[in-house]
Amino acid sequence: MNQISAEIENLRDGDRDGSADGDPNQISTDEVFALLSNERRRHVLRFLSENGGEIKLRELAAAIAAEENGVDPAEVTYTQRKRLYTSLYQSHLPRMERSGVVEYDRNSGLVTLSASADSFDAYLEVVDENGFTWSEFYLGLTALFAAITLAYATGTPPFDVFDPAVVMAVMTFLLLVSAVAHVRYTRDRRL
């Protein structure tokens, strides 16, 4: 319990000076939540992370407009794209730039994710294009356990020859390995 209290106090101290752990490149927890409170800013972070950390504002506006309107980026109208471009240019990107999350070069139109954006990884489940989330993993693991249980209960070969203790031991081992992997993954991403 003392460790939790110390972590909360450290977060409070970090929030007072605008940064966590005294690192000027670290964004305060309050600012992270304020930035993430807007869906368009979350889209900006996601698209930047999916595109190697940088993307042209025009492409970004078209991609977000396509998502918001449920169409392919090629089908986005000029009005839809312009509305998003203006919103990003006038409001969202300046706010994100002031917070140190992105850098925006107005001459080239390039929006770049800054190093301090790593603060957001703890709040957003960042997954590669071909990856999957932990929630999807555990859903799949549950489906596997259900299939094994059903196969064992109905006497489906080869499960009909295994002792119930062996089946339970294998399922427990799979769950243990999954839990250890998840703990190690989240420990590396702790605030």
Side-chain angles (χ1 to χ4, degrees):
M1 196 63 157
N2 289 336
Q3 182 182 5
I4 293 171
S5 299
E7 288 179 21
I8 291 171
E9 190 59 36
N10 284 340
L11 283 174
R12 285 185 188 143
D13 290 343
D15 287 346
R16 282 187 205 122
D17 68 2
S19 63
D21 297 329
D23 183 357
N25 293 325
Q26 190 74 15
I27 301 169
S28 74
T29 305
D30 288 342
E31 184 64 13
V32 168
F33 284 126
L35 288 170
L36 292 176
S37 69
N38 183 278
E39 185 176 17
R40 284 188 178 165
R41 289 192 289 263
R42 291 190 304 269
H43 286 305
V44 169
L45 289 170
R46 183 169 47 85
F47 281 110
L48 283 170
S49 66
E50 289 174 354
N51 290 286
E54 57 183 38
I55 190 170
K56 294 274 190 177
L57 177 55
R58 182 182 177 110
E59 296 170 32
L60 182 62
I64 295 173
E67 192 166 305
E68 286 185 1
N69 292 290
V71 297
D72 288 327
E75 298 172 0
V76 172
T77 67
Y78 172 79
T79 304
Q80 291 168 332
R81 184 175 46 78
K82 184 68 174 170
R83 188 177 304 126
L84 249 297
Y85 184 97
T86 302
S87 172
L88 293 173
Y89 182 81
Q90 291 181 349
S91 176
H92 300 297
L93 290 180
R95 169 79 190 269
M96 295 174 82
E97 194 170 33
R98 279 191 308 273
S99 296
V101 177
V102 300
E103 296 168 11
Y104 175 56
D105 183 347
R106 283 157 182 73
N107 294 328
S108 68
L110 192 64
V111 181
T112 307
L113 197 61
S114 73
S116 64
D118 291 343
S119 304
F120 293 87
D121 289 347
Y123 303 99
L124 298 172
E125 193 167 23
V126 181
V127 180
D128 294 335
E129 183 178 323
N130 297 323
F132 53 87
T133 64
W134 281 107
S135 53
E136 292 169 332
F137 173 79
Y138 285 113
L139 183 62
L141 192 61
T142 301
L144 174 67
F145 284 5
I148 290 171
T149 301
L150 181 64
Y152 185 79
T154 59
T156 305
F159 296 100
D160 58 346
V161 296
F162 292 115
D163 185 354
V166 171
V167 174
M168 290 303 296
V170 169
M171 290 173 37
T172 302
F173 178 75
L174 284 174
L175 187 58
L176 175 66
V177 168
S178 301
V180 167
H182 195 170
V183 165
R184 292 187 75 178
Y185 175 80
T186 54
R187 184 173 291 151
D188 292 339
R189 302 170 72 80
R190 241 182 225 171
L191 295 174

